[in-house]
Amino acid sequence: MLIHSNLIDIHQNRIYPAEIVISKGRIKSVRESDKLCENFILPGLIDAHVHIESSMVRPVAFSKIAVKHGTVSVVSDPHEIANVLGVEGISFMVKDAKRTPLKILFGAPSCVPATTFESSGAEITSEMIAEILNWPEIGYLSEMMNYPGVIFQDEEVMKKLQLAKERGVPIDGHAPGLTGIALKQYAEAGISTDHECFTYEEALEKISHGMKILIREGSGAKNFEALIPLLKSHPEMIMFCSDDLHPDDLMKGHINLLVKRAIQSGYDLFDSIRAAGYNTARHYGLDAGMLKENDPADFIIIDSPDNWNIISTYINGIPVFDNGEVHILDSEGETPNKFNINKLNVKDISVPALGNKMRVIQAIDGELITRAVTQKVLIENGMAVCDIEQDLLKIVVVNRYAQAIPAIGFIQGFKLKKGALATSIGHDSHNIICVGTSDNDILEVVNWIIEHKGGIAAFDGKQIHGLPLEIAGIMTSGSVEFTAKKYLELSVIAKKLGSEMKAPFMTLAFMALLVIPDLKMSDKGLFDGKEFDFIPLFINEEETLIR
């Protein structure tokens, strides 16, 4: 196959007409040409860190949309499904990924469960990590969220790190806000990346310790604006990633949007493209071509570096997207799951008022972090209840793996005026999380999810609107188009109920992610992300803790 196009040469920092010969799925030759060309050819794009499960579809369905946006490869951490199904879940993702030409490098999840302060469906031990790292589809140790375990040299944590070092694979980091001596210890343990920086200064300090920074722009966390100046000062240390991308956002774009945004913001074209592929391929040793002789023929053709409209996407010399059509077949497969609880009643979620003040989670739109605030308790018949006027709603987290008493707290930021929202996507253990304006509304939507063994749902006071998630309670068997449509419908309903958040269900899904401060809700109780321990809900008049 012979292609004539304007080559965006990231190795020479040049753009010139080129003649590219492809044979047996690889680049046979790249020669400069005198022939005038309309379009531009460049290496395919790579997502440096993504949880495919967050798109709510299986890998095959994910790939059909990703290639439309010029993505040829992703570095995928399957710890979401691993928290539900353990090794079986990782195996499911690997097996399904083989049905698609998209090059997916999976990691061995290092923190399943993410903490010991929550109930998950499985545990990945160091012995299991040793086995998983031998799989040919596994190429790195996934994000080490247990940074206290690294700093204090927890025996099991250190075993997992050592296994990765012995295999010679990268170790991903996850250390929001970590600085100083603790950060130095964390980096010196062999951790090479971080995608959780919220400020430019935090990222600079991590770079000073040799860590590469992944600039993340996902559905729930958006750090592009804060971190993109690093592309000018430390271009070789930067990669682009999405982390968690819900189906409606995946429909709009992928890594191509970050490249286009960087270029339109005045950053160097070649640095931007390298951050969207080359840097990632080098760091993880990906078998993804960069338009050099003998490379795999993985590339995209665009109309121009200004418009960034994707015309074609090739993987191993085969057009997987061309002329507006995706050339990846649909496929069906198994739907593994784990859901073992009965429906709740009012007594299960009632909260006796043990004080006049309580600690409240303050959710922040577009952020994974929360704030901890103190609020006066609204008491009715001796019970702490929602105060809609103060945007003080009840948050309930239900262990879905075993029958247990739900954990209950209060939250601000969702601004619902009626009804309730719930999801069985609850990072990272994926228990049921619900925010609602009354106990009855909460019960309606939580029990719907229990009945369907997973899903996303909203109750508007009259009826339930829901999207079942039959794969591990976190993914559907449907297409991205179908899932995005249903998800958008639910988001619209949430906004009709009063929520002003851009992605209310995404924000809700992170309210149980204990490894990101300040205050979160585990299925076992209210959790202080800074002190890394449980904390009482109520405070009495003398500020004495009620335990």
Side-chain angles (χ1 to χ4, degrees), residues 412-432:
Q412 289 181 318
F414 280 86
K415 298 184 179 179
L416 299 181
K417 302 303 179 186
K418 62 178 181 178
L421 312 176
T423 176
S424 56
I425 299 173
H427 302 290
D428 279 325
S429 292
H430 300 294
N431 289 302
I432 301 171

Side-chain angles (χ1 to χ4, degrees), residues 46-50 73-76 140 172 193 214-215 239-243 254-255 275-276 279-280 284 286:
I46 303 173
D47 190 332
H49 177 77
V50 63
S73 179
V74 300
V75 179
S76 177
Y140 67 104
D172 273 5
T193 69
L214 279 56
I215 296 180
M239 308 176 214
F240 290 149
C241 80
S242 64
D243 196 4
H254 195 195
I255 300 302
N279 293 349
T280 302
Y284 291 98
L286 299 177

Side-chain angles (χ1 to χ4, degrees), residues 165-317:
K165 292 175 186 177
E166 290 172 0
R167 300 296 196 284
V169 297
I171 302 171
D172 273 5
H174 171 119
L178 197 65
T179 60
I181 296 174
L183 173 60
K184 184 173 183 291
Q185 292 173 314
Y186 185 73
E188 287 177 348
I191 295 162
S192 60
T193 69
D194 189 272
H195 61 273
E196 291 290 347
C197 294
F198 292 97
T199 68
Y200 177 77
E201 291 74 21
E202 177 187 352
L204 274 182
E205 186 176 357
K206 287 174 177 173
I207 287 174
S208 73
H209 291 292
M211 298 176 73
K212 294 179 180 177
I213 302 301
L214 279 56
I215 296 180
R216 170 181 58 186
E217 195 76 359
S219 296
K222 302 178 185 294
N223 310 122
F224 182 92
E225 287 298 330
L227 302 181
I228 194 60
L230 295 164
L231 190 61
K232 184 173 291 185
S233 59
H234 299 81
E236 74 287 351
M237 301 295 285
I238 305 304
M239 308 176 214
F240 290 149
C241 80
S242 64
D243 196 4
D244 295 283
L245 207 57
H246 268 190
D248 57 324
D249 287 324
L250 179 59
M251 289 294 295
K252 297 172 186 174
H254 195 195
I255 300 302
N256 59 315
L257 297 183
L258 277 72
V259 182
K260 182 177 180 180
R261 190 170 165 187
I263 294 167
Q264 291 181 343
S265 298
Y267 290 90
D268 182 75
L269 169 69
F270 301 100
D271 286 340
S272 300
I273 293 172
R274 281 190 286 266
Y278 178 76
N279 293 349
T280 302
R282 287 189 63 191
H283 182 76
Y284 291 98
L286 299 177
D287 184 33
M290 292 293 134
L291 278 175
K292 293 190 302 182
E293 289 187 6
N294 300 317
D295 272 6
D298 307 324
F299 57 85
I300 59 176
I301 298 174
I302 63 174
D303 61 347
S304 76
D306 297 320
N307 297 327
W308 263 87
N309 293 313
I310 311 293
I311 297 171
S312 303
T313 302
Y314 285 72
I315 298 177
N316 290 334

